[in-house]
Structure formats: C-alpha cells, structure tokens
Amino acid sequence: KDLATLRRVTAPFHNFDKAKGAGWSEKITACMTDPGGAGGMGFHYGNVGLIDGSVSVDEPELLLYEPEKNGRLRLVAVEYIVPFAAHPRTAEPPELFGQKFQAVEEFQLWGLHAWVWEHNPSGIFATWNPRVNCDNTTDIMAMAHR
C-alpha cells in the first residue's frame, strides 16, 4: 500500500520539469555509479524543504534520474534521507516501509532508496541498481551547453 502511494505521488515527476516546478530542483549529486561495479543511482535531485529530519512515504527528499541517450532524464527511484544532525549516527537507524535506513558516511546522513520506477534485481530497497548507469552523462552535458 505504501509503495502504491509512493508511485502515485511521484508519477508526475517522470516529467523532469514538473519535478523541478514542485520543488525537486536542487541538484544534490552528479550521476553516481558504484566504483565496485554494483550498479548506478543516477543524479539525485532534492527538495531541500523536505530535508528536515523527518520522513514520510509521500514526500521523498530526493528523486533519482538516469540520463538517457536523447538527453532526457528518466525517473528511476527515490531516496529518503535523514541528516545525522537530526538523527545521530549512534542512534538506531530510522525505518520506513519496514526497512532500516543505511548510514551514508560520505554525506553524513541516513538513506533509504526505493526503486519504484526501475526494476532492481538487487532488491527494491538496495542502494545500487545494476540496471542504472551514467554512460549517457556526457551527452546530457553536451546538450545542456548548446
């Protein structure tokens, strides 16, 4: 039921312009790929007003987009985040969907991915998705500078 709610509220954001207009306009990361070969995540775009230490199924803090050859960004997942400043690293991890968040030391936060728009053979809540890559990032950058 919660995953259905998440899909319903994020469905309009397949159109990147709608996501930007709704507040997910802050580019948080470049396109991310695991150097160990576990897969990719894509670009993370955040709604900074939602990064307040609380989480709600219908308000993911981040939307994840994979670059496509045509220069478009394709919505693949969401990520819920809670900064360590709001929920200390030493505390029990936050939970959502019955899943414990993972500590992300690099960004000093707790994170939980939900691959609701791209099947993830590693699992819907896995960190990396082997079906997502950043191979088309240079095409997007080239198109953005035209």
Side-chain angles (χ1 to χ4, degrees):
K1 178 181 154 213
D2 284 342
L3 288 172
T5 297
L6 176 58
R7 284 186 182 101
R8 181 179 47 77
V9 300
T10 58
F13 306 140
H14 284 284
N15 178 321
F16 183 66
D17 289 334
K18 285 188 179 176
K20 286 191 338 188
W24 282 269
S25 56
E26 188 71 31
K27 186 174 171 186
I28 304 294
T29 71
C31 197
M32 295 179 67
T33 303
D34 177 35
M41 288 184 201
F43 292 97
H44 292 66
Y45 282 87
N47 184 329
V48 294
L50 297 176
I51 303 172
D52 60 4
S54 66
V55 291
S56 176
V57 165
D58 60 347
E59 292 185 321
E61 287 78 10
L62 307 176
L63 301 177
L64 280 61
Y65 287 90
E66 178 182 33
E68 294 185 307
K69 287 183 176 142
N70 63 9
R72 292 200 174 117
L73 294 173
R74 186 171 66 87
L75 179 63
V76 292
V78 306
E79 185 175 2
Y80 297 91
I81 61 171
V82 177
F84 287 163
H87 189 99
R89 172 69 178 96
T90 54
E92 282 294 308
E95 287 189 40
L96 197 63
F97 303 106
Q99 302 290 314
K100 290 185 186 296
F101 282 50
Q102 300 294 312
V104 184
E105 301 294 343
E106 178 183 358
F107 296 109
Q108 294 294 294
L109 56 80
W110 297 98
L112 179 69
H113 291 83
W115 295 93
V116 292
W117 296 112
E118 175 64 44
H119 172 70
N120 188 344
S122 301
I124 193 167
F125 299 110
T127 301
W128 300 99
N129 188 330
R131 294 178 54 161
V132 172
N133 69 68
C134 295
D135 292 348
N136 297 312
T137 304
T138 53
D139 295 341
I140 287 176
M141 296 305 155
M143 292 178 86
H145 295 293
R146 285 186 195 162

